[in-house]
Amino acid sequence: MRRLVLVALLLAAALTASLLPPRLGATAPAAAADPALRVSTVASGLALPWDAKPLPDGRLLVTERATKRLLLVDGGSVQPVSYASSTVWASGETGLMGLEVDPNFAGNRRFYTCQGGYRGTGHDVRVMAWQLSADGRSAASSGAVLTGIPATSGRHGGCRLMLARNGALLVGTGDAAIGKNPRTLGSLGGKVLRLNRWSGNPWPTNPLIRSSSRIARYVLTYGHRNVQGLAQRSDGSYWSVEHGSYRDDEVNKLVSRGDYGWQPTPGYDESKPMTNHALAGTQQSARWRSGSTTIATSGAAWVAGSRWGAFDGTLAVAALKGERMLFMAFDRSGRLTRVATPAALRGYGRLRSVTPLPGGDLLVTTANGSGDRVLRVSPA
């Protein structure tokens, strides 16, 4: 009996100890710290660079939206690349914008731009393929990959490109400030599209691939206002970044055939919610939103590498109006857990694009109108 009492007392003591807070000085698992960041200038003297992508030899390609310049950055040197710039239509928010480099560039010299274009007596937004010369001084057109993305004044031109790990080309588009475009499956505006980068055909596993409408076959997601960023997480999921109206910039996890709820009709009524759950069907809620004050979120990239500390595995999102970088942490289910805005990336003005480099550093473009730069960001 005495032994049973002793065992019971020991169990009770152990249970009590497990419920108490750790004693002062006890060792707890160390949380990763936010890294100090080193920011250096890769290229300067630019005017509204929209995107920057690395080539296999370490040089960079850069697009400038309004000037329509295509640039090659080699060390500290910035050289214009001669190409058919007269085929690019630039107005307002549209011009020479998104950029991607083919995974087999070392052999085929192929890259892609998303840009304004001329169509009959009007304009559109389109995806073009190019081949860079061996010396990097010129680029020849390899033809249009996709045309007919709607355009009006140049407002809400979207135009982010992303090559997925399976080789598909994703295109984030804007609604061209036409209220019916985002949720009309017969329009390429206000969508995330997915296609074959060589043939320009819709990707064979797209959710509407059997639709009688050829346009609808390109649609991966719809109901977007103005997609500015695309990024693929290590788990394979696609994410988008979107400009809000006067409220609610958004970061969205993309679901095949997902409706993201932007429909500012009748007319173009920007008092409507960015994600309007009063619409028919089911709308996908944003994983992050800015709230009542927008900061004009733009490009995005997933951060990878243990040297990034607490930023490892976060989504780095550039902000134009907000003039900052947001490192957003999401759990495995895609629930937001934390946002950090390091001081090291303030003071450069408006930030447009974010691109991961081999090794894990980030390329960031500024968008102040003049004296712009391409920055390299790494953990110090």
Side-chain angles (χ1 to χ4, degrees), residues 317-332:
V317 180
L320 292 159
K321 185 172 73 173
E323 299 187 355
R324 70 193 74 164
M325 185 77 72
L326 299 89
F327 290 84
M328 301 182 183
F330 298 89
D331 65 18
R332 290 183 180 180

Side-chain angles (χ1 to χ4, degrees), residues 18 55 79 91 108 122 143 166 177 183 204 224 240 243 275 279 337 355:
S18 71
L55 299 177
Q79 299 294 330
S91 176
N108 60 29
N166 65 357
R183 296 179 77 245
H224 298 284
S240 72
H243 278 175
T275 304
L279 298 172
T337 59
T355 301

Side-chain angles (χ1 to χ4, degrees), residues 287-303:
R287 300 308 175 108
W288 171 91
R289 58 185 182 181
S290 64
S292 59
T293 302
T294 60
I295 58 174
T297 46
S298 187
W302 290 97
V303 179

Side-chain angles (χ1 to χ4, degrees), residues 49 61 109 163 227 264 278-279 285 317 328 354:
L61 278 178
R109 312 288 295 176
L163 273 167
V227 177
L279 298 172
S285 295
V317 180
M328 301 182 183
V354 191

Side-chain angles (χ1 to χ4, degrees), residues 12 124 144 191 208 243 253 263 291 295 310 319 375:
D124 68 356
K191 310 290 191 301
L208 299 169
H243 278 175
K253 184 178 181 181
Q263 182 176 294
I295 58 174
L375 305 172

Side-chain angles (χ1 to χ4, degrees), residues 41-113:
T41 297
V42 177
S44 59
L46 308 180
L48 295 176
W50 209 95
D51 211 349
K53 290 286 166 35
L55 299 177
D57 62 8
R59 296 183 294 177
L60 306 177
L61 278 178
V62 179
T63 55
E64 286 186 341
R65 187 191 72 204
T67 68
K68 306 187 288 185
R69 290 200 305 170
L70 178 66
L71 304 170
L72 184 70
V73 178
D74 186 359
S77 171
V78 179
Q79 299 294 330
V81 177
S82 175
Y83 79 108
S85 59
S86 61
T87 64
V88 180
W89 170 66
S91 176
E93 299 168 357
T94 299
L96 186 62
M97 299 179 283
L99 179 66
E100 264 294 9
V101 174
D102 195 89
N104 301 316
F105 178 88
N108 60 29
R109 312 288 295 176
R110 187 175 170 97
F111 66 96
Y112 309 88
T113 59

